[in-house]
Amino acid sequence: MTEAPESAGPNGLAHARYAPGTPCWVSLMVHHMATTQAFYEKLFGWQFQPGPRRLGPYVRALLNGHDVAGIGQLPPDRHLPVAWTPYLASDDVDLTAEAVRLCGGTVGVGPLDADDAGRLAIGSDPSGAVFGVWQAGRHQGTGITGVPGTPAWSELLTFETTHVATFYETLFGYEQKATVSADAAADDVTLYLGGRPVAGIRGVGHALRRDRGPHWMTYFEVAGTDEALEHLVDLGGHVLTPARDTVHGRVATVTDPEGARFALIQGPR
């Protein structure tokens, strides 16, 4: 994990507007919405409300009355990977989508309106990692962070950082900084906006799983990583990498019952 923002305290950090390029939302498309909702409700304490009708069967997950994530239904005839997808904020999703194409990425969905909530596109970077772009309307994105059950960090796992970091830098004007590590061979980059770290890119070379390829990883904050892992397993999830202590906190990589990968992080104390 590259550099992450500090915890916002017991009441979290409310968000009114996200600067372009900032991860502003995470969404999960699944085959079995009811069982997935039950899993995350019990794991994170989420409640659910219907999302934009234009997106088909879709719900918004809420925590303490604030939107934190979305879950949608995959078409039954589409054999797509079940994965958490981060959305990056944009003031003009149509221009951003065109820039994605010009910079060597692809746009697979949109741009399209999500009722009055906003306008979106879903694409992939030159390495194939999928991400979304969100132009806010009524819906700004994740309404609160910094408390258990909310997205804490977004990190791209890819083969190497140089070319793909340039792609994202061109799109959103990020400042890149190599992450200082005790491992001299580490290939980690943190992306900054306005002097603040907003996302990370980690080059893992041949350690990247062939069945997954380059992909974005969403970290969710928890009060205690070890306790959350026990709860997750009881709910039908799986542990991919056991809990380990890092400079950013105690981290573990897991999957939900449908196989969507994500990470749990308990901030340093």
Side-chain angles (χ1 to χ4, degrees), residues 117-165:
R119 189 164 171 80
L120 67 88
I122 300 175
S124 57
D125 64 31
S127 75
V130 175
F131 65 97
V133 180
W134 181 254
Q135 178 183 337
R138 180 179 51 81
H139 176 68
Q140 295 294 322
T142 299
I144 188 172
T145 57
V147 293
T150 61
W153 188 243
S154 295
E155 181 176 71
L156 173 61
L157 299 178
T158 188
F159 295 109
E160 56 84 28
T161 63
T162 302
H163 292 94
V164 73

Side-chain angles (χ1 to χ4, degrees), residues 217-238:
M217 176 77 74
T218 298
Y219 288 71
F220 289 99
E221 187 158 337
V222 292
T225 302
D226 296 273
E227 295 83 355
L229 286 179
E230 291 182 11
H231 193 29
L232 176 136
V233 171
D234 289 341
L235 294 172
H238 302 278

Side-chain angles (χ1 to χ4, degrees), residues 88-123:
L88 308 177
S90 172
D91 286 337
D92 189 324
V93 70
D94 294 82
L95 286 178
T96 301
E98 184 59 27
V100 168
R101 297 186 184 98
L102 291 174
C103 293
T106 60
V107 177
V109 177
L112 57 85
D113 290 325
D115 299 335
D116 62 350
R119 189 164 171 80
L120 67 88
I122 300 175

Side-chain angles (χ1 to χ4, degrees), residues 42-122:
K42 293 173 182 175
L43 182 64
F44 291 140
W46 290 350
Q47 297 178 320
F48 297 94
Q49 291 186 356
R53 287 174 291 180
R54 178 71 183 273
L55 301 180
Y58 191 87
V59 294
R60 292 171 293 115
L62 280 73
L63 190 65
N64 300 327
H66 297 277
D67 291 340
V68 293
I71 298 175
Q73 176 77 54
L74 281 170
D77 58 341
R78 299 287 298 276
H79 299 288
L80 299 173
V82 176
W84 281 102
T85 299
Y87 282 73
L88 308 177
S90 172
D91 286 337
D92 189 324
V93 70
D94 294 82
L95 286 178
T96 301
E98 184 59 27
V100 168
R101 297 186 184 98
L102 291 174
C103 293
T106 60
V107 177
V109 177
L112 57 85
D113 290 325
D115 299 335
D116 62 350
R119 189 164 171 80
L120 67 88
I122 300 175

